[in-house]
Amino acid sequence: MNFAFSEEEEAFRAEVVAFLEDWRDLDAFFGQGHHWPRVKQLFQAMGARGWLSLGWPESEGGLGKPLTWEYILWDEVGYARAARNPLASGIVAKTLVRYGSEDQKRRWLGPIRSGELHFSLGYSEPEAGSDLASARCRAERHGDVYRITGEKCWQSYAQDMDLLWLLARTGTQESRGAGLSLFVVPLDAPGVTVGPLPTLDGDQLNEIHLDGAEVPVDARVGPEDGAWKIMAEALADERHIQFPPKRVRRDLEDLVDWVRENGRGADPAVRSTLGDLAVQVEEAEVQGLIVLDALRKGRPGIVEAAANKVVHTVVCQNVARAALEIAGPAALADDCGLNTLWRQSIWETIGGGTSEIMRGVVAKQALGLSGRR
Amino acid sequence: MDFELDDAQRAIVEAVDVLLERHAGPARAIELGAKGEYDGALHGALRESGFLELACGEGTGPLEAALLVECAARAGALCSVAASALVAPLVLGRPGDGPLALVESGSTAPIRYAAHAHAALVLDGDRARLVPLPDGSATPVASTFGYPMGRFEVGALSEGDDLGAGSGDRLRDAWRLALAVELAGSMAGALETTLTYVKERRQFGRAIGSFQGVQHRLARCHIQVQGSRWLALEAAHGGGATEASAAGAAYAAEAAGRVFAETHQFSGAMGFTREHDLHVWSMRLQALRLELDGAAGHERALAEARWA
Ligand SMILES: Cc1cc2nc3c(=O)[nH]c(=O)nc-3n(C[C@H](O)[C@H](O)[C@H](O)COP(=O)(O)OP(=O)(O)OC[C@H]3O[C@@H](n4cnc5c(N)ncnc54)[C@H](O)[C@@H]3O)c2cc1C
């Protein structure tokens, strides 16, 4: 057992930290929608260094680095609050590497690697959130094209993205997960409308209407009706970077800074709360490393990732809640930094799979508590 | 002892609900909230119908006023009914006339209704002051916490009528009582909306409210909302005595933390959007549970009153 990173990995971390110095003005981990042009610049700068394709195989233009490198990169970017990891270079690219046709790879991998091309995740629908296998958005094949009709909702950042990574039904409704396929759909295609859903953190999600939008057959990624397995594998591609533990460390540090600036550091009740939170942050960090370790050893890390998601997001909320309670009514002003921290924490236990679904995974897969037996 | 409303109280609650049905509700709260406005029409309607006088009326008192405040909070009302109909009578012996803000002296934090209030009850150590507020006394503050907020400059509220010895404690107690009642009403609103949602929302072929894990947690919320309500009404029945008001406010502030988290959790992504009504109540819970130092402040007040 060894809890430390290698010298080479630490050197890479130092390089990332130095790189991020130039992006200190960028505060887009929360509310990316307000900062997209600059976030895109950041991704382009990262792309120029090959960092968006760190873990892709060299044969596909990647650097072929171990998962740890991606972990370190996004952990530091999260700590700097610069941005969240983009969908394109993670789920999308790694799926294309695995399942894309040569033509698809040629078309998309290059601009994804350079930070030029960006995707929104088109999974959820008004009637299909946790139960994604019930998705209804339909793609009908007509000769060389698919005609797509349906509704998607709660898409993050879709207002700024280029393409939609779309889950759509090609089989019968009864076939559930076995009748779904994945498509790449331009968000500005005829028949696609993107509308804002304002959210409580002052940003927005989006709803996307597809009204007979046509895409060529080769916009389908992987086999028809084959989405379920591909999506499961793609989730595994993200597990080690989706919840960068240093982000919660940063949350706590921001709270501590506020406490110091406002002369509250000597208050024993405040100190004990901060100490409690520090312990929770340690837990989140160790859970994050457990996921990384599982993936590095070639295990799917499903249970570890589910546990990590629960812990990480609950710690986010606990820090945020303590921030509100310590700052008191001063934090009710939207321009108070702790206010942003708190408001965006509301959804952490919902987006990307709810805590209940994650705990269900742990109960079934780790504890063997399945079904009605 | 009787935990049911008597006929007169039921008549009051029904009449208040009829009025709120017409003048309040989540749609109106969202419309006014978007513009940062105060519900002057509702305030006027409550005054004209005499409801603001309940606390010092003939045959009615703080308990009846508390029932009014509870109904208003539950209906998402955006006016200072708690301060005007419950706090002012207990502190001044008469209802507040126009929109009324409650302020801790020297506070520069956002304060509910500050930018719309015609007067403020200011808590300053062991004294309270009634300070008239000409237009522009407070600056509006952008806030997502469900109330129009404003902020006063330091020293802005140093004038006004000193309400004499003991007035500080009276204000503190009445304020806590009002918080307890408003929290109870707002929690009830948040929970009702969520219950409707989990009964309608289907995933995995069934209503999400049919999952036992969801049921247990919402049942726990329900028990705490009820607990908050009874403690608040009991405190009102006793005229807002220190211990009972502090206990009611402390219990409700703690409960509100849970009710906020659980109602949002079970409302999924929908509850995080502004198109869903939940935020009308849920965000206010957070504003209310921070006032007067939140649960910790109320608990200290209780301990001091009992064991000092
Ligand atoms: C900020 C944010 C960003 C998002 N970004 C995207 C995006 O980019 N693309 C995209 O496609 N989607 C996105 N989503 C949607 C997200 O994937 C869904 O919110 C999530 O899958 C949960 O679905 P739901 O909101 O419909 O909740 P529901 O599935 O309706 O669940 C509601 C409640 O019921 C509980 N519940 C459901 N089933 C069970 C069960 N079996 N047992 C116990 N409890 C249960 C849930 O845990 C939850 O508390 C985003 C959501 C948020 C909040």
Side-chain angles (χ1 to χ4, degrees), chain A residues 143-271:
Chain A
D144 292 343
V145 298
Y146 281 97
R147 209 165 288 152
I148 306 175
T149 300
E151 267 180 74
K152 292 283 160 182
C153 60
W154 311 314
Q155 274 61 49
S156 309
Y157 321 133
Q159 73 275 22
D160 296 316
M161 302 292 108
D162 308 296
L163 298 167
L164 184 64
W165 185 250
L166 177 77
L167 179 70
R169 185 156 296 285
T170 37
T172 60
Q173 196 60 38
E174 295 68 43
S175 61
R176 296 198 31 99
L180 297 167
S181 307
L182 283 167
F183 296 89
V184 173
V185 181
L187 279 161
D188 59 359
V192 180
T193 355
V194 181
L197 293 170
T199 47
L200 297 179
D201 59 352
D203 204 341
Q204 68 176 63
L205 293 170
N206 298 276
E207 54 185 355
I208 301 179
H209 295 270
L210 297 121
D211 186 10
E214 282 188 7
V215 292
V217 168
D218 75 351
R220 194 192 69 230
V221 178
E224 192 168 277
D225 295 338
W228 206 248
K229 174 163 171 275
I230 304 178
M231 283 162 62
E233 288 169 0
L235 278 181
D237 290 332
E238 295 277 79
R239 289 195 174 112
H240 61 305
I241 55 174
Q242 219 183 350
F243 303 101
K246 271 200 149 179
R247 169 264 159 104
V248 286
R249 176 167 290 258
R250 174 68 189 270
D251 288 0
L252 178 57
E253 286 176 7
D254 283 2
L255 172 56
V256 171
D257 286 347
W258 190 96
V259 163
R260 287 219 175 92
E261 278 158 25
N262 289 274
R264 300 281 301 283
D267 180 337
V270 170
R271 293 176 80 86

Side-chain angles (χ1 to χ4, degrees), chain A residues 120-126 128-132 152-157 199 205 347 349-357, chain B residues 197-198 201-204 208 211 213-214 264-270 272:
Chain A
S120 175
L121 185 73
Y123 287 178
S124 305
E125 300 182 3
S130 298
D131 182 16
L132 214 47
K152 292 283 160 182
C153 60
W154 311 314
Q155 274 61 49
S156 309
Y157 321 133
T199 47
L205 293 170
W347 66 264
T349 49
I350 297 166
T354 70
S355 295
E356 289 68 38
I357 297 299
Chain B
Y197 189 72
V198 300
R201 173 82 175 158
R202 297 178 73 80
Q203 291 289 278
F204 305 102
I208 55 178
F211 292 113
V214 176
H264 271 285
Q265 188 62 22
F266 295 128
S267 302
M270 192 63 189
F272 188 59

Side-chain angles (χ1 to χ4, degrees), chain A residues 126 197 325 332 343 349, chain B residues 143-144 201 203 265 275 289:
Chain A
L197 293 170
E325 287 172 359
L332 299 177
R343 281 198 285 155
T349 49
Chain B
S143 169
T144 321
R201 173 82 175 158
Q203 291 289 278
Q265 188 62 22
E275 62 179 282
R289 63 191 288 276

